[in-house]
Amino acid sequence: MEPFNTEPYLGIPCSQGIGIGRIFKIKDKKNTVPSEARSPEEEMLRIKKALAEYKKRTLKLAEKVDINLGKGDGDIIRSHIAIVEDVEMNELLYKFVNSGKSADQAVDNVCGIFANIFDSMEDEYMRQKSVDILDISTQVRSILAGEEYLICDVPEGTVLLGKNIQPSLVSSIENGNVVGIISEYGNETSHSAILAKALKIPMISGVSGIYDSCENDQKVIVNAIEGEVILDPDRETCKVYEKREEEYAKKVSELEKYFGKPTKTKDGATIKILCNISGPADIRKVIDNDGEGVGLLRTELLFMNSRFNPGEAEQFDAYKRVASAMNDKPVIIRTLDIGGDKEISYLELPQEDNPFLGFRAIRYTLKETEIFKIQLRSILRASAYGNVSILLPMITTLDELLQAKELIEECKDELRSEQVKFNENIRVGCMIETPSAAMISDILAGECDFFSIGTNDLIQYTMCADRGNSRVSYLYSSYQPSVIRLIERVAKAAKEAGIPVGICGEAASNEFLLPLLIALDFDEVSVNASSVLELRKNILGISKEESKAVTEKVLKMSSEDEIFNYLSAKS
Ligand code: PEP
Ligand code: MG
């Protein structure tokens, strides 16, 4: 056992919060002794009965989760029923039993095969399905062995510790006795993590090697904010974390008041708060934080996580998953923005002296039209499943926008002739992240359906200050008069042309800049999901009238200092 004061174990915080309690080790149920095989008919009958019982219990559990956590969360557990109803899985079970295996062995082997298939997939979301399948295997084999379900009946102040905490276990947690969960395996996309979040129990996953180093009843702090597990904390440490726990709970409950509230200023001006995401794995964060849609889906991760160019099927699946999950809420998908600080090795882009000023984003995709068209076709196809728009990165000239639109039309023609569904009226927007685009925003506005201002790049290109270079970071600021004037120019051009304007750079969540965005009639901001509720709280607290007066003053100011001091004093 580790003595106290050693380095904490590190893992992935997947349900935020702090829990202090005593460890309860969940035994791995993998070792159920398989029974002797009887005739294949008898074994198949046993499987059928066990699966029927599994479905019954799972439905009951799902209903309980719906009641405890609100309609919808039970679907996580319900989705396991679809897995056991899978025809391929049932055929394989039948095959194994026919070859002389017992029902228990067949379930163990077949679930093992399916779990391995999912586990070897590139996509993190799909990989997590292997945990669900192993969970099903454990539960069905318990039924076959005549055992009860593992119901979480533990004393107050318990921290559950398991090698691989399974969703059925988390959903069986009944009372408030569990204050934390630690799992050696998994991450924030696992169903166990999603349920823990819904139950508001701090959870850390991916803490390798911890299970065998701990004993039941050992004191532990689960710091699921930074992702650390502190074993045998001394009294002082406990006090520090108790205080942090209190502060965190207070902050969360304060922000919860803003969940489901319309985003409106004191005098009724509305603005949408959308989220920046990198793929389907982030959908849950948007929903959990009450995001009003996706304002920027950065598609680079899909390419970076792959060893090869992701094909149309893979991209379509990812975009469709996001579009469907958001229902009618907007989903703005940005086409590939590689180059600069985003490298994809298999594309073998040549080294450049100035990558930020080089062959990147729209410049690349307009040359590599095959790659671009596969992506455009995937996005168009996904548009049949939700409220999808296309966003073009790093536009500097009207010609780039027109060329991209031509390729979009070409893809639409192809899909029409193949009789593939897509939204004929899909919106096409421009990222305004270069001073050139900002200066010609009146021209661009006539040829596109919306603007999204990317301040991360707009600031670096306006100030000629690399966004990652700390030596010039004193110049890299959204309070620079030049940056503010460009933002104003773009917003005005959008309003004059009658198209919506949004902002998706980091500046979008800066509360000091809110008066400007409100006064300039921004239609939406797109931010990290964790900022949604705080931002809504801030918007509810300001008025458009006051914001106009503030903005008028700011637009007359001549230095970054002056603007920053004024805006920070105002909020
Ligand atoms: C931006 O430049 O502001 C932006 C949102 O894009 P990225 O950070 O992906 O370059
Ligand atoms: Mg950018």
Side-chain angles (χ1 to χ4, degrees):
M1 205 201 316
E2 301 271 334
F4 74 85
N5 273 349
T6 54
E7 289 290 305
Y9 280 85
L10 301 180
I12 306 159
C14 41
S15 168
Q16 293 240 324
I18 291 173
I20 304 171
R22 295 199 173 269
I23 283 177
F24 181 91
K25 288 173 88 171
I26 304 294
K27 286 203 189 85
D28 213 352
K29 272 200 151 197
K30 240 182 163 170
N31 304 328
T32 318
V33 186
S35 54
E36 284 278 302
R38 282 162 268 186
S39 73
E41 290 73 26
E42 273 178 281
E43 293 300 325
M44 204 54 216
L45 193 66
R46 286 184 65 220
I47 290 184
K48 278 189 181 150
K49 276 190 181 162
L51 290 183
E53 177 61 21
Y54 172 79
K55 284 189 218 170
K56 210 170 91 192
R57 289 186 191 187
T58 303
L59 275 178
K60 235 166 114 183
L61 207 52
E63 272 163 31
K64 202 194 82 186
V65 175
D66 277 344
I67 292 165
N68 289 347
L69 301 177
K71 191 93 192 93
D73 281 305
D75 288 348
I76 292 169
I77 298 294
R78 254 177 229 108
S79 69
H80 292 190
I81 294 180
I83 297 176
V84 299
E85 282 174 344
D86 180 78
V87 179
E88 238 179 284
M89 183 180 260
N90 278 281
E91 276 173 6
L92 207 56
L93 282 170
Y94 188 66
K95 228 173 165 176
F96 271 66
V97 163
N98 256 346
S99 72
K101 301 260 188 220
S102 72
D104 316 63
Q105 288 165 329
V107 171
D108 190 24
N109 295 351
V110 171
C111 287
I113 290 170
F114 276 78
N116 280 340
I117 294 173
F118 282 107
D119 199 35
S120 64
M121 288 184 178
E122 292 280 348
D123 185 320
E124 189 52 50
Y125 174 86
M126 297 306 274
R127 237 189 357 252
Q128 287 304 318
K129 265 187 188 278
S130 68
V131 181
D132 296 351
I133 293 172
L134 293 177
D135 189 9
I136 292 169
S137 171
T138 311
Q139 303 309 333
V140 176
R141 282 182 297 125
S142 300
I143 296 170
L144 283 166
E147 294 166 3
E148 277 304 310
Y149 247 29
L150 181 54
I151 299 291
C152 209
D153 188 14
V154 287
E156 211 176 309
T158 291
V159 170
L160 297 178
L161 167 65
K163 292 234 173 193
N164 193 355
I165 296 278
Q166 302 196 328
S168 62
L169 176 79
V170 182
S171 60
S172 78
I173 295 174
E174 194 93 54
N175 49 29
N177 288 357
V178 177
V179 296
I181 303 175
I182 306 165
S183 182
E184 280 204 354
Y185 186 83
N187 62 25
E188 73 271 34
T189 61
S190 74
H191 280 163
S192 311
I194 292 167
L195 288 164
K197 228 185 275 172
L199 285 161
K200 298 189 175 54
I201 300 174
M203 175 171 180
I204 306 183
S205 296
V207 192
S208 50
I210 191 168
Y211 190 88
D212 293 328
S213 325
C214 291
E215 283 174 8
N216 272 325
D217 219 33
Q218 199 171 345
K219 184 113 184 171
V220 64
I221 296 175
V222 181
N223 170 7
I225 296 172
E226 275 98 21
E228 34 174 51
V229 178
I230 304 165
L231 289 174
D232 300 316
D234 54 25
R235 207 178 286 170
E236 271 314 295
T237 312
C238 282
K239 265 195 195 152
V240 171
Y241 280 88
E242 273 159 18
K243 183 131 196 296
R244 285 195 65 187
E245 187 185 355
E246 241 172 65
E247 286 165 1
Y248 181 78
K250 205 168 134 207
K251 189 178 160 209
V252 168
S253 83
E254 225 220 287
L255 286 181
E256 262 174 11
K257 287 193 292 209
Y258 300 94
F259 202 98
K261 282 236 163 96
T263 312
K264 268 189 184 157
T265 62
K266 283 197 281 193
D267 44 0
T270 55
I271 186 165
K272 273 202 172 83
I273 307 179
L274 310 176
C275 297
N276 294 348
I277 67 168
S278 299
D282 295 333
I283 296 169
R284 195 73 209 178
K285 281 188 213 153
V286 180
I287 297 170
D288 286 349
N289 289 287
D290 202 23
E292 296 168 53
V294 171
L296 172 65
L297 167 49
R298 289 183 165 103
T299 55
E300 297 77 61
L301 202 73
L302 198 69
F303 285 72
M304 286 172 177
N305 278 350
S306 234
R307 257 171 285 148
F308 316 97
N309 251 329
E312 186 172 318
E314 191 181 332
Q315 288 191 58
F316 166 60
D317 177 63
Y319 306 149
K320 178 184 159 193
R321 273 193 350 235
V322 177
S324 321
M326 286 295 119
N327 291 316
D328 286 336
K329 290 179 180 167
V331 173
I332 300 176
I333 304 180
R334 182 175 73 184
T335 61
L336 190 57
D337 182 17
I338 39 127
D341 55 345
K342 300 160 191 142
E343 211 191 302
I344 299 173
S345 56
Y346 58 81
L347 293 180
E348 290 176 353
L349 288 170
Q351 285 286 327
E352 293 180 331
D353 288 340
N354 283 309
F356 275 117
L357 302 182
F359 188 51
R360 58 171 296 203
I362 196 78
R363 301 169 183 186
Y364 173 83
T365 48
L366 285 177
K367 285 280 174 301
E368 296 293 338
T369 50
E370 208 177 309
I371 292 176
F372 196 24
K373 280 182 71 181
I374 290 175
Q375 183 170 43
L376 291 173
R377 281 175 58 98
S378 318
I379 302 175
L380 282 166
R381 287 175 58 194
S383 72
Y385 298 86
N387 180 2
V388 171
S389 309
I390 299 174
L391 180 60
L392 304 166
M394 270 292 286
I395 294 286
T396 51
T397 67
L398 174 66
D399 192 48
E400 286 166 342
L401 168 61
L402 296 179
Q403 279 187 53
K405 280 175 63 178
E406 223 172 278
L407 288 169
I408 294 170
E409 285 311 313
E410 247 178 73
C411 293
K412 282 183 173 179
D413 283 343
E414 286 172 14
L415 293 174
R416 258 182 232 117
S417 64
E418 292 162 27
Q419 298 190 334
V420 176
K421 292 189 293 183
F422 65 93
N423 173 12
E424 288 279 355
N425 303 314
I426 190 165
R427 298 184 319 145
V428 178
C430 270
M431 283 285 287
I432 305 290
E433 51 185 347
T434 64
S436 173
M439 289 308 290
I440 59 162
S441 49
D442 54 329
I443 303 173
L444 296 172
E447 286 295 340
C448 71
D449 301 307
F450 66 98
F451 284 156
S452 185
I453 304 182
T455 43
N456 302 344
D457 276 320
L458 185 61
I459 299 170
Q460 82 162 342
Y461 291 128
T462 304
M463 299 309 299
C464 303
D466 183 334
R467 63 198 253 186
N469 184 343
S470 57
R471 294 170 78 186
V472 290
S473 61
Y474 69 98
L475 289 167
Y476 188 93
S477 159
S478 17
Y479 307 108
Q480 291 287 357
S482 51
V483 174
I484 297 226
R485 284 171 186 221
L486 285 178
I487 292 175
E488 186 217 16
R489 185 184 183 97
V490 176
K492 267 195 172 155
K495 294 296 132 178
E496 269 161 29
I499 62 168
V501 58
I503 174 167
C504 62
E506 288 305 304
S509 54
N510 182 342
E511 66 170 306
F512 300 159
L513 293 175
L514 259 185
L516 265 89
L517 305 183
I518 296 293
L520 295 172
D521 260 337
F522 269 72
D523 297 272
E524 56 202 38
V525 287
S526 190
V527 297
N528 193 304
S530 59
S531 305
V532 170
L533 293 174
E534 183 125 31
L535 198 55
R536 185 171 297 146
K537 177 185 158 200
N538 293 332
I539 292 170
L540 262 65
I542 64 174
S543 87
K544 185 162 180 173
E545 268 323 294
E546 284 160 21
S547 299
K548 277 186 183 164
V550 169
T551 304
E552 244 172 65
K553 278 200 176 146
V554 167
L555 285 166
K556 287 189 188 125
M557 291 180 178
S558 45
S559 75
E560 195 257 358
D561 263 4
E562 197 185 354
I563 296 177
F564 171 73
N565 291 336
Y566 176 66
L567 287 176
S568 54
K570 275 274 152 205
S571 39

